Amino acid sequence: MRGGVSIDLSQMSQIIRVSAEDLDCTVQAGVTREQLNAHLRDQGLFFPIDPGANASIGGMAATRASGTNAVRYGTMRENVLSLTVVLPTGQIIRTGGRARKSSAGYDLTRLFVGSEGTLGIITEVILRLQGVPETISAALCSFESVEQAVKAAIAIVQLAIPISRIELLDRGLIAASNAYSGLSLKIEDTLAFEFHGSPASAQEQVELVAEIVKDHGGKDFEWANAPEERNRLWKARHNAFYAVVSQRPNAKGWSSDVCVPVSELSGCILRTRALLQECSVPAAILGHVGDGNYHVVFAVDPENTAELTEVAAINEAMVEHAISVGGTSTGEHGVGTGKIGYLRQEHGDAVELMALLKQAIDPQGIMNPGKILPV
Amino acid sequence: MRGGVSIDLSQMSQIIRVSAEDLDCTVQAGVTREQLNAHLRDQGLFFPIDPGANASIGGMAATRASGTNAVRYGTMRENVLSLTVVLPTGQIIRTGGRARKSSAGYDLTRLFVGSEGTLGIITEVILRLQGVPETISAALCSFESVEQAVKAAIAIVQLAIPISRIELLDRGLIAASNAYSGLSLKIEDTLAFEFHGSPASAQEQVELVAEIVKDHGGKDFEWANAPEERNRLWKARHNAFYAVVSQRPNAKGWSSDVCVPVSELSGCILRTRALLQECSVPAAILGHVGDGNYHVVFAVDPENTAELTEVAAINEAMVEHAISVGGTSTGEHGVGTGKIGYLRQEHGDAVELMALLKQAIDPQGIMNPGKILPV
């Protein structure tokens, strides 16, 4: 932080309380997702939000994180019940209680979820939890085109099948993952699925999905019911970023994400893919396609200005098109500094209201200055 | 509105757009819930939030409404994608887009949902929709005590059965509803259930629930699978308020609600019931017990100050106890003027932040003055 101080909450790592009865818990902001899930395992509970990295719960709340399970369980927006926040004045507030719903005043919890540290510092979080499903099954299915894969995913969402994960891994990413994670997957555009439920309901979901993907030209439907197979599959998915970057020595990862109405997803991904085909930098597309959210990862040479300019232009085209079809400049990465330039295009005059809120709560601009809104 | 003008949006009743592909729609604020659902029916879609009354969508957004289906589908908080709002300056903003998720800046949508008209006027709403489930089954089950009924409901929620409705109707309410709605239900504390899903998944939910209620002393489990039987049941539930009021000539209804962590629900309802047993005014308890939310309805003589004082004291005891166990002073009714006195107790210093937001957005206090926060 230029001219400022940086605040490290990683020592605030205490899990304060877990209630199996109420399916909720209270944790300090520095507790990580993996730490929490390891703690919950013996009680048959889990916290479903999974952005991939072993992020801290406070950071996940501050950036409105989501990830692979959001199609079923929602994002941090839906899974935070309350926050303890230190305001710029030093005053400490609690934004809500433990009730599942409330209509008692302004929704301060949602105001701070996704505020990226610009309104106050989140120190404690009350989270909703889930019971570990009786059955978890996973499957992979390859397609001849990314269009077919996306259309199959859309059909599954539109039929309201309560699927837990639908992830797109494009052929470039499969090739990179085979090399990086020691897999031998067929190099085609692929959907990865996960089903949670009772044995009967998981089985029913599987059968419905198998039928839909077949109708959309899916082939080589492959099951991974054993936990170790599933873990290998999702580990490869979580390592996608590193797999892409590892394709090129001394490269750095550069990623961006957008989210669009699902009916626009196929068109958006095809446009992005066409841009990537012209691009001189290795890149791949992956996405939480059940939500209309997808990512592009580039393996860039950070010293090469021409490359960075090329990648920035592709990003700009992708973001501007996403906004033009009713989507957002970022589905889950946050604004930070990289998406500041698109906020006005996406939100119009509502950006002025955001700036008004920032000014009212943090008039001296001491909270994470320069993020979300220009200083 | 004292000294002000009142704004009637009921003429803004246009359904602007429905997308079956994206499961969303855009409506003007004056569109009512029943109007929207009648319009959606032919497309196999529905909007699940059901506060009972045929409320307008704009009003439901402004009060963060929920109702009987919230245990499965969430409240207005989870089902509004975006709002068009006229700010006190006259500026018109749109708070979000059509993407299912976004981390692009402050969550203005959730700031206005539940703001009760005190920050701006909602004129247009983008809503998430659901596909009409293949199967809908309903059931009633009576219990010897309200405690048993509530414990059964809690066990169902804790097992994460994807039930759509679990409603408590206490014995007083059943008696009133028999008289008012021409039913002949057994006068006992009763749970009413609704199950949505594929035939197999609805059947599985039913079997699990039947087993749980049996374990909790439930009896006379009674099915209502035919649409007309179901409609009769839910109509009686929706008319509960009028049924209680009709017990006494020239009475007026007086109602209040709280919401608590489900583990506290049984204790809270038993305390409230004990207060009602001492009360001179006819009253009943009903609740969306799957969420920990319950209501009390009194049939008061509006001219009788002693009665009003008695009822206010019971309400105060109920609300203060709910807050003391981590709950909220209102689960879905909103603050209005009736719950203003409890906001500080519930939210502590966070009330000052609410006042700061109000001051920043509406410095002249022209938007629904006197609601949520004292003038």
Side-chain angles (χ1 to χ4, degrees):
Chain A
M1 213 180 284
R2 221 177 317 163
V5 290
S6 112
I7 296 168
D8 178 357
L9 300 180
S10 62
Q11 302 297 305
M12 292 189 73
S13 60
Q14 207 187 326
I15 296 168
I16 295 168
R17 174 195 66 80
V18 175
S19 166
E21 263 191 303
D22 291 311
L23 296 170
D24 71 357
C25 69
T26 304
V27 301
Q28 290 185 330
V31 168
T32 70
R33 187 178 68 76
E34 288 177 10
Q35 178 195 350
L36 177 60
N37 277 322
H39 182 89
L40 295 173
R41 201 166 293 137
D42 288 347
Q43 297 174 70
L45 301 173
F46 79 115
F47 176 63
I49 313 304
D50 170 21
N54 184 24
S56 71
I57 298 297
M60 288 170 64
T63 55
R64 203 181 294 130
S66 51
T68 59
N69 278 317
V71 64
R72 168 130 176 195
Y73 298 104
T75 71
M76 289 303 276
R77 183 173 75 193
E78 288 79 26
N79 287 279
V80 171
L81 287 170
S82 173
L83 298 167
T84 302
V85 179
V86 182
L87 297 177
T89 55
Q91 197 176 37
I92 298 170
I93 61 164
R94 231 197 38 192
T95 62
R98 290 181 57 221
R100 282 298 164 112
K101 63 186 199 187
S102 170
S103 54
Y106 303 148
D107 190 343
L108 299 179
T109 303
R110 254 50 58 178
L111 181 63
F112 284 96
V113 170
S115 65
E116 302 185 24
T118 63
L119 300 177
I121 298 161
I122 295 169
T123 56
E124 223 172 88
V125 187
I126 303 182
L127 294 170
R128 291 184 70 155
L129 302 174
Q130 300 286 332
V132 173
E134 235 186 309
T135 303
I136 302 178
S137 318
L140 276 178
C141 182
S142 57
F143 294 82
E144 266 166 32
S145 73
V146 78
E147 197 174 3
Q148 284 179 319
V150 170
K151 285 195 170 160
I154 292 172
I156 290 162
V157 172
Q158 283 166 353
L159 281 172
I161 297 169
I163 197 163
S164 299
R165 288 169 158 163
I166 318 184
E167 298 287 303
L168 172 73
L169 301 87
D170 88 338
R171 60 186 69 210
L173 184 64
I174 295 283
S177 293
N178 279 347
Y180 185 82
S181 298
L183 301 174
S184 51
L185 299 173
K186 201 161 160 191
I187 299 176
E188 289 204 287
D189 299 311
T190 298
L191 288 179
F193 304 100
E194 195 165 274
F195 307 93
H196 294 179
S198 66
S201 114
Q203 182 59 30
E204 188 182 37
Q205 293 174 49
V206 162
E207 282 165 18
L208 285 166
V209 167
E211 205 171 302
I212 293 167
V213 297
K214 203 174 142 207
D215 288 350
H216 288 83
K219 48 195 182 174
D220 305 320
F221 208 73
E222 198 185 300
W223 294 102
N225 289 325
E228 56 278 15
E229 279 178 86
R230 276 208 321 274
N231 290 342
R232 217 161 63 103
L233 170 62
W234 293 114
K235 196 166 175 204
R237 168 63 188 82
H238 283 152
N239 284 332
F241 180 85
Y242 305 105
V244 173
V245 178
S246 73
Q247 291 176 295
R248 192 177 171 191
N250 305 316
K252 270 195 72 174
W254 196 108
S255 73
S256 179
D257 85 315
V258 293
C259 187
V260 297
V262 289
S263 64
E264 301 287 349
L265 183 59
S266 178
C268 288
I269 290 184
L270 288 175
R271 267 171 167 265
T272 301
R273 183 167 230 189
L275 296 169
L276 296 187
Q277 270 155 359
E278 304 295 308
C279 177
S280 66
V281 178
I285 293 175
L286 62 159
H288 313 308
V289 288
D291 300 311
N293 182 207
Y294 70 98
H295 303 250
V296 182
V297 182
F298 298 91
V300 296
D301 170 358
E303 308 295 321
N304 187 329
T305 318
E307 263 188 25
L308 294 175
T309 307
E310 189 186 357
V311 163
I314 292 174
N315 180 49
E316 176 147 304
M318 175 175 84
V319 170
E320 289 189 343
H321 184 66
I323 293 171
S324 77
V325 298
T328 175
S329 59
T330 173
E332 58 182 26
H333 286 189
V335 177
T337 55
K339 296 282 168 78
I340 284 183
Y342 304 109
L343 273 205
R344 161 95 27 201
Q345 203 169 329
E346 179 171 344
H347 294 296
D349 291 346
V351 175
E352 288 162 30
L353 180 56
M354 292 186 194
L356 184 77
L357 297 176
K358 167 74 175 173
Q359 176 63 28
I361 297 173
D362 180 24
Q364 297 180 288
I366 60 173
M367 290 288 166
N368 213 2
K371 303 292 163 54
I372 298 187
L373 297 160
V375 176
Chain B
M1 212 179 286
R2 223 177 317 164
V5 290
S6 112
I7 295 168
D8 178 359
L9 299 180
S10 61
Q11 302 296 305
M12 292 189 72
S13 59
Q14 207 187 324
I15 296 168
I16 295 168
R17 176 195 65 81
V18 175
S19 167
E21 265 192 301
D22 291 311
L23 296 170
D24 72 358
C25 69
T26 304
V27 302
Q28 291 185 329
V31 168
T32 68
R33 188 177 66 77
E34 288 177 10
Q35 179 194 349
L36 177 59
N37 278 321
H39 182 88
L40 295 173
R41 201 164 295 138
D42 288 347
Q43 298 174 70
L45 300 172
F46 79 115
F47 177 63
I49 313 304
D50 170 21
N54 184 25
S56 71
I57 299 296
M60 287 170 64
T63 56
R64 204 180 295 130
S66 52
T68 59
N69 278 317
V71 64
R72 168 129 175 196
Y73 298 102
T75 71
M76 288 303 275
R77 183 173 74 191
E78 288 80 25
N79 287 279
V80 172
L81 286 171
S82 173
L83 299 167
T84 302
V85 179
V86 182
L87 297 177
T89 55
Q91 197 176 40
I92 299 170
I93 61 163
R94 231 197 38 193
T95 62
R98 288 181 58 219
R100 281 300 164 109
K101 63 186 201 188
S102 170
S103 53
Y106 304 148
D107 191 344
L108 300 179
T109 303
R110 255 49 58 177
L111 181 62
F112 284 96
V113 169
S115 63
E116 302 185 23
T118 63
L119 301 178
I121 298 161
I122 295 168
T123 56
E124 224 172 87
V125 187
I126 303 183
L127 294 170
R128 291 184 69 155
L129 302 174
Q130 300 286 333
V132 173
E134 235 185 310
T135 305
I136 302 177
S137 316
L140 276 177
C141 182
S142 57
F143 294 82
E144 266 167 31
S145 73
V146 79
E147 197 174 3
Q148 283 179 320
V150 170
K151 286 197 170 160
I154 291 172
I156 290 161
V157 172
Q158 284 165 352
L159 282 172
I161 297 169
I163 197 164
S164 299
R165 288 169 158 163
I166 317 183
E167 297 286 302
L168 171 73
L169 302 85
D170 89 337
R171 60 185 68 210
L173 184 64
I174 295 283
S177 293
N178 279 348
Y180 185 82
S181 298
L183 301 174
S184 50
L185 299 172
K186 202 160 159 189
I187 298 175
E188 289 204 290
D189 298 311
T190 298
L191 289 180
F193 304 100
E194 195 164 274
F195 308 92
H196 294 180
S198 66
S201 113
Q203 182 59 30
E204 187 181 38
Q205 293 175 50
V206 162
E207 282 165 17
L208 285 165
V209 166
E211 206 171 301
I212 293 168
V213 297
K214 203 176 142 205
D215 288 349
H216 288 81
K219 49 195 182 175
D220 305 320
F221 208 73
E222 199 184 300
W223 295 103
N225 290 324
E228 56 277 14
E229 278 178 85
R230 277 208 321 275
N231 290 342
R232 218 161 63 103
L233 170 62
W234 293 114
K235 198 166 173 202
R237 167 64 188 82
H238 283 153
N239 284 331
F241 180 85
Y242 305 104
V244 173
V245 178
S246 72
Q247 291 175 295
R248 192 176 171 192
N250 305 317
K252 271 194 71 174
W254 196 108
S255 74
S256 179
D257 86 314
V258 293
C259 187
V260 296
V262 289
S263 65
E264 301 288 349
L265 183 60
S266 178
C268 288
I269 290 184
L270 288 175
R271 267 171 166 265
T272 302
R273 184 168 230 190
L275 295 169
L276 296 187
Q277 269 155 1
E278 303 295 308
C279 176
S280 67
V281 177
I285 293 174
L286 62 159
H288 313 308
V289 287
D291 300 310
N293 181 208
Y294 69 98
H295 303 249
V296 183
V297 182
F298 298 90
V300 296
D301 170 358
E303 307 295 321
N304 186 329
T305 318
E307 262 187 25
L308 294 175
T309 306
E310 187 185 359
V311 164
I314 292 173
N315 180 49
E316 176 147 305
M318 175 174 84
V319 170
E320 290 189 342
H321 183 67
I323 293 172
S324 76
V325 298
T328 176
S329 60
T330 173
E332 58 182 25
H333 285 189
V335 177
T337 55
K339 295 282 167 77
I340 283 182
Y342 304 109
L343 272 205
R344 162 80 47 187
Q345 203 170 329
E346 180 171 343
H347 294 295
D349 290 346
V351 175
E352 288 162 30
L353 180 57
M354 293 187 194
L356 183 76
L357 297 177
K358 168 73 175 173
Q359 176 62 28
I361 297 174
D362 181 24
Q364 296 181 288
I366 61 173
M367 289 289 166
N368 213 2
K371 303 291 163 54
I372 298 187
L373 298 159
V375 177

